Amino acid sequence: MATSAADLLFRHPARAVVIGFALMVAAGTAGLTLPVATTSGASAGWVTALFTATSAVCVTGLVTVDTDAHWSVSGEVLITLLIQAGGLGIMTLATLLTLTVSRRLGLRTKLAAQAETKTLTMTSLPHIVRNIVLFSLTCEALAAAVLTSRFILGYGQPPGRALYLGVFHAVSAFNNAGFALWPDNLMRFAGDPWICLTIAAASIVGGLGFPVIFELLRGRRCRHWTMLTRITVAATGILLAAGTVAFLAAEWDNPKTLGPLDDGGKLLAALFTAVMPRTAGFNSLDISQMTHSSWLATDVLMFIGGGSAGTAGGIKVTTFAMLAFIVWTQFRGETHVNIGYRRLPADTQRQAVVITMLSGGLVAAATYTLLLLSPHPLDQALFETVSAFATVGLSTGITADLPAAGQLLLVALMFAGRVGPLTLGSALALKTRARRYDLPEEQVIVG
């Protein structure tokens, strides 16, 4: 029997995820090129539309134009919808639609949604997808309520405008998108804990990952947590604390960042700045005026990213933590990698190494290419490529100045960073081949 196009497409569910995101980017690009999407009434160029649509669907936040000044209300609403769709996952939304219409799932739909949501079993998938959507909307509604109240009471915004700002930034924060409706992003709110802490909290919750969030909501004791939850929570706390200390040390006396703030304001701004490289992408400090030490610290935090199966990007904190445990095990001379009272499978270790190597190689190649395409120095080019690949959205201010080829390079990086190097590679592979024999071992000198 001949293989149909549908069978070939869905033989590996990761391929459906890649194609789903590509179609959403294409649809968003088409929508943003319409004259009604811009404030001027003129059609946006296809490069600008493609860049913005990719940044929204891939929940990145890099922009080449001022979001509020360039895009009309219709354009901003479309961007919000693209952010929401990208955050929840194209396959998650497709599964929810299937549940609504037919009340049952086919095997292909289950496999496709499982690949996107990272669920470990398919039997509970309908319940999990419903929880994902309900939890996401609830978190966004809570964040929007706090932000809307603050905009009304603290800044005198009319209720309608305050609600619009609250909803837009709540969706952007929970989905780790980093889009803002002010030219300076959130710099004008650097000393406002209501704004900064609400957006930071929404970004952290969205970036932890749905499996971790659901387990935390069950109220189980720490010793009963799964390895995924233990690693994610511990690594997230350590990275947030380390990032806050690093930014305080590097920017304390910088007159263009933390310098003018009081001690409380400095701590708030440093904490907010440490949260955002987890791929949230907002900034309350001028990134272009930060020290080179802070740029390097941000590069590291962006590359690591947030939790698995959430709205964050990067190689993920779980991958980073597993590599750390692998190194620690090697130093101790042990044969198995143990985390707590559990052993880490060998195939999971290989996946962590592969993801890190592919990601590092892709960032290095993109940085080299961007240096050829633009006059910007290495530190700024590296910052830009890491931000794009990790779907963060922070920038030193060079995004709009890049040539069209450089912006298209960032588009490719954002897309690859969202679907994941390993997912993208497996989607392009026609099939996996299992070797039916083992070769004899031979030792090789390392180091």
Side-chain angles (χ1 to χ4, degrees), residues 105 107 110-112 114 119-126:
L105 287 172
L107 179 59
K110 286 183 178 181
L111 287 173
Q114 183 187 25
T119 52
L120 300 180
T121 61
M122 290 189 297
T123 56
S124 60
L125 183 60

Side-chain angles (χ1 to χ4, degrees), residues 84-160:
Q84 186 73 82
L88 289 176
I90 302 300
M91 294 303 105
T92 306
L93 294 178
T95 303
L96 180 64
L97 179 61
T98 304
L99 286 171
T100 303
V101 174
S102 64
R103 297 294 181 182
R104 65 193 185 109
L105 287 172
L107 179 59
R108 287 176 180 170
T109 306
K110 286 183 178 181
L111 287 173
Q114 183 187 25
E116 171 59 25
T117 60
K118 306 296 189 301
T119 52
L120 300 180
T121 61
M122 290 189 297
T123 56
S124 60
L125 183 60
H127 180 68
I128 290 174
V129 172
R130 288 191 185 97
N131 284 345
I132 289 174
V133 175
L134 290 175
F135 179 77
S136 300
L137 296 179
T138 300
C139 289
E140 291 169 356
L142 291 175
V146 175
L147 293 175
T148 300
S149 299
R150 183 58 178 167
F151 289 139
I152 293 175
L153 301 177
Y155 298 94
Q157 292 284 354

Side-chain angles (χ1 to χ4, degrees), residues 393-426:
L394 296 174
S395 175
T396 59
I398 68 172
T399 310
D401 298 330
L402 294 175
Q407 294 178 1
L408 292 177
L409 174 65
L410 296 185
V411 167
L413 277 175
M414 288 187 288
F415 187 84
R418 178 53 181 142
V419 300
L422 197 59
T423 302
L424 183 60
S426 62

